[in-house]
Amino acid sequence: MPRTATVDRQTGETQIKLSVNLDGTGGGTRSSGIGFLDHMLDLFAKHSLIDLDVDATGDLHVDDHHTAEDIGIALGTAIDKALGDRAGVFRYGHFTLPMDECLVTSAVDMGGRYAFEYHAPIAAHKIGTFDSELVEHFWQSFAANANCNLHVVLHHGRNAHHISECVFKSTARAIRMAIESDPRSDAIPSTKGVL
Ligand SMILES: [Mn+2]
């Protein structure tokens, strides 16, 4: 069974088509209308090895908020759908990733329940034209719709662009580990027998 999903999400604020292939190579193209977010989504695809296509049009004349939030929702929804019953995956993943002066740990449980703990403050309000607070908001929107536990901790770091990259890369690597097929088991990874 191919682990793929497509989400077509149309609202008064954004129009988003997003596709994933969990067993990809990090391919696809990302076009959100927000250069910085495309850069982060490119990093996410590259380091998760998820093929990711994003074609989004949003109300950027307001600000980047709705577009960033709704792409997070669509990405979480797509990964949740593509995982199906979650049989045979590792379920848990974690990664501590250095990027220059930054160090971030991300840990996920792709087990069908939502929790979000985020401790990665960015002192600067803006990264270029992008609102720094949208980094956290993107991942909260993702986690709520992927039905996962996501914990993100910045151990140290100063540069706003670096911190954001470090969060996207470490979370991509953690998700990659969690959605990988476990060669020792094709069972649903829960004593309840269902996730
Ligand atoms: Mn960069």
Side-chain angles (χ1 to χ4, degrees), residues 141-162:
S141 304
F142 168 87
N145 290 275
N147 295 310
C148 72
N149 290 188
L150 174 59
H151 297 248
V152 177
V153 178
L154 169 68
H155 301 287
H156 47 258
R158 292 177 296 278
N159 182 281
H161 188 118
H162 291 167

Side-chain angles (χ1 to χ4, degrees), residues 39-40 43 99 161 165:
H39 181 37
M40 295 302 110
L43 298 172
M99 158 132 193
H161 188 118
E165 269 196 32

Side-chain angles (χ1 to χ4, degrees), residues 33-103:
I34 305 167
F36 181 74
L37 186 57
D38 288 348
H39 181 37
M40 295 302 110
L41 294 171
D42 289 346
L43 298 172
F44 176 80
K46 185 76 179 176
H47 289 281
S48 65
L49 293 180
I50 294 172
D51 290 342
L52 174 64
D53 284 298
V54 180
D55 184 3
T57 306
D59 56 356
L60 302 182
H61 60 282
V62 177
D63 62 11
D64 296 345
H65 189 103
H66 300 138
T67 303
E69 173 180 286
D70 291 358
I71 292 173
I73 290 171
L75 180 62
T77 302
I79 290 178
D80 184 51
K81 273 173 71 179
L83 278 170
D85 66 5
R86 291 159 160 79
V89 300
F90 282 113
R91 177 179 168 184
Y92 298 100
H94 64 94
F95 209 90
T96 298
L97 187 132
M99 158 132 193
D100 295 349
E101 88 291 0
C102 298
L103 188 68

Side-chain angles (χ1 to χ4, degrees), residues 1-21:
M1 278 278 284
R3 298 195 300 166
T4 61
T6 296
V7 171
D8 190 344
R9 194 171 187 281
Q10 312 275 331
T11 75
E13 295 170 343
T14 64
Q15 298 80 49
I16 296 169
K17 282 192 179 138
L18 184 150
S19 300
V20 296
N21 174 8

